[in-house]
Amino acid sequence: MREPMPIDSVLHYPDAVSQVQASDEAIYWLATIAAEDGRTTVRRLMGGEVTDLTPDANVRSRAMEYGGGAYTVDALSIAYCDDRTGQVWLLDRDGARPLTRAGTSYVYGGLRLSLPDGIVVAVREDHSAEPEARTEIVALAVDGDNADGGRVLVTGADFYASVAVRDGRLAWQQWDHPNMSWDTCSVWVASLADPSDASPVSAADGVAAGYPLWLPSGRLAYVDDRSGFWNWRIDGGAEWAVERDCSRPLWVLNPATAAAFGDDRIATLSYANGIGSLAVWPSKGGDVAWPLPGSTDIESVAVAGDVICVVAEWANRASSLVAIHPDGSVETLAGASKKEPDVAAAESIWADGEAGPVQAWLYRPEVDRPPLLVMTHGGPTSMATSGYDATIQFWVSRGFAVLDVNYSGSTGFGRAYRDRLRGNWGLLDVSDTVAAVRAVTDAGLADPERVAITGGSAGGYTTLNALVSTDVFAAGISRYGIGDLTTLVTDTHKAESRYPEGLVAPWPSGRDVYEERSPINHLDRLSTPMLILQGTEDKVVPPNQAVQMADAVRAAGQPVALLMLEGEGHGFRAMATRRLALEAQVSFLEQVFGMAASPDVPVLEIENL
């Protein structure tokens, strides 16, 4: 049996790489530094030398709460959002200077720098507007202080994203309440000189179009899912019609997971059976190429001259930034380059769900009938991939099997799989998770008497609902889990305020459905030990819900531990907080499952145990 991984191997991971961008002169990426409580900085590779360009900034956007598009490059200049000041900055040969003022009601993201036009195009939210923030596309002059917050280019829709600029032309995607971008979304174009001439390129009810991408020829490409999958199309031209999703749902304002080069070739993410690969589609004809075999997911793509740069995930090592040269050779530029020892391989499991087949990833330790830790991802429009996850490997090394479930509503399997959850959130996600668990335990791959479930945010909602509606689980861990669905329409941020209308029911006419599916209203059914982890500054899930859940478990006489984590929001960032949370989870499960205590983990105080 493999040696238990130490806590520090999870907490002190190498600097995470993401969001590669490139110019003819250099390659850029974001590095997230665990040792600095997750501070993110822009790094540049030029002439064989890596430089940290923003050592005094935390490059992060808070637009749409989840951010994205926090930096942009053009030649050797970058513009970026500094979370420490709330400003947009420009860094060029003359040094760094702010392009916006501090202390305003404006929040920026989705940046696009265009030096020929002398502007940074951005998605701007005005949080002084009522009853919700107003979202617009604006231009920030690179040679001014933009005292007005930027010149408004496009306004009127509820949301904008994926801004793309080329030769004086602007492209973007937009959508309106109550849709999310993956329900109905349209792609538009306009001229920078007179954006009032805006016209739609792809706009149809029930079609999710997005991620506009200017090709070298000047034509516009974009993805839409009219075929049932997110496929690439050329405006007025060809389509790569394939039963593969070639993009992900838009949660953040990052550019497309694709890049165009050469004779209008598109290097793009492409999913099949939950595996994300890099494909190169020749839009003018020819065979599709697959130049990076072995990846499990593709986070971002850029092109530097004739070199394709990709941030990829792998089964046996952490994410890395690689360069694919024209001769087919692959060079690691940043991130992990060596395989991790003793990696538990992901096994694809399919179960029979109520609405159709359900996929999950199973990781097993070298023991018979181990306890099973079931993970439910967030979103719920997200997905579990089989890329190397130090946390999953940590649990396996400690003797747990791990089951990571792609319940109905998950992306990466086409629109029909995603749409199953419409109106069924709180029902199908739970039954699908149970079906996946039973497929594993019925096969004798885990102990059916020692099954725990855990999830954060929307995954925490599935966790809580599973605990109040089934008897499959012997313990639960909720990380900032959603207990009261009504708060998602009455007390949450703009981006998700109407999301539940598609997942649950219209509001307020469907209030009774929300109340029926809210675990907070069925706390009398909580009869399993629980660990509840909650940030005190959470703007998505009110912290008092965690207190109510803990009170209910306590009143039922079941073991319970509640950790209110000071200063943390919807997700945990600080090193000390992440250590405390992981140690608490280990000790909790070891105690409730009667396992030997790990000597490197403090014993968690659990009431009623």
Side-chain angles (χ1 to χ4, degrees), residues 423-466:
N424 290 307
W425 194 31
L427 302 176
L428 275 184
D429 48 322
V430 173
S431 65
D432 284 354
T433 301
V434 169
V437 169
R438 287 181 172 150
V440 170
T441 56
D442 287 352
L445 303 179
D447 184 353
E449 302 301 318
R450 293 187 296 165
V451 180
I453 185 170
T454 181
S457 189
Y461 169 69
T462 299
T463 290
L464 294 171
N465 251 342

Side-chain angles (χ1 to χ4, degrees), residues 226-421:
R226 70 184 72 180
S227 69
F229 294 85
W230 271 314
N231 291 164
W232 282 100
R233 291 176 175 271
I234 310 299
D235 184 24
E239 174 193 10
W240 186 29
V242 61
E243 291 188 353
R244 290 170 168 264
D245 273 332
C246 295
S247 70
R248 286 188 289 263
L250 190 152
W251 279 102
V252 293
L253 299 175
N254 293 332
T257 310
F261 66 103
D263 58 344
D264 286 359
R265 294 174 182 268
I266 298 177
T268 177
L269 161 72
S270 179
Y271 283 115
N273 297 315
I275 300 290
S277 303
L278 179 70
V280 177
W281 173 49
S283 65
K284 292 184 176 179
D287 295 332
V288 174
W290 304 89
L292 193 65
S295 68
T296 59
D297 205 0
I298 303 297
E299 190 273 340
S300 54
V301 184
V303 172
D306 55 2
V307 176
I308 303 173
C309 303
V310 178
V311 175
E313 295 181 9
W314 313 92
N316 54 11
R317 65 185 190 274
S319 298
S320 60
L321 169 60
V322 300
I324 305 169
H325 297 279
D327 63 1
S329 62
V330 177
E331 176 188 7
T332 299
L333 304 179
S337 58
K338 296 181 179 179
K339 297 178 180 179
E340 294 286 341
D342 302 323
V343 172
E347 305 171 44
S348 182
I349 300 292
W350 286 89
D352 294 327
E354 287 185 31
V358 178
Q359 194 272 342
W361 300 106
L362 176 66
Y363 305 80
R364 289 191 283 161
E366 297 171 349
V367 296
D368 291 332
R369 291 170 62 86
L372 179 65
L373 180 61
V374 181
M375 294 184 169
T376 52
H377 65 66
T381 309
S382 184
M383 71 179 297
T385 66
S386 58
Y388 180 83
D389 185 320
T391 301
I392 289 177
Q393 297 298 325
F394 170 85
W395 285 112
V396 175
S397 79
R398 301 270 167 151
F400 290 83
V402 175
L403 184 66
D404 208 358
V405 184
N406 277 313
Y407 50 78
S408 293
S410 302
T411 48
F413 300 91
R415 176 141 191 166
Y417 197 105
R418 189 170 79 242
D419 280 351
R420 287 182 196 168
L421 203 61

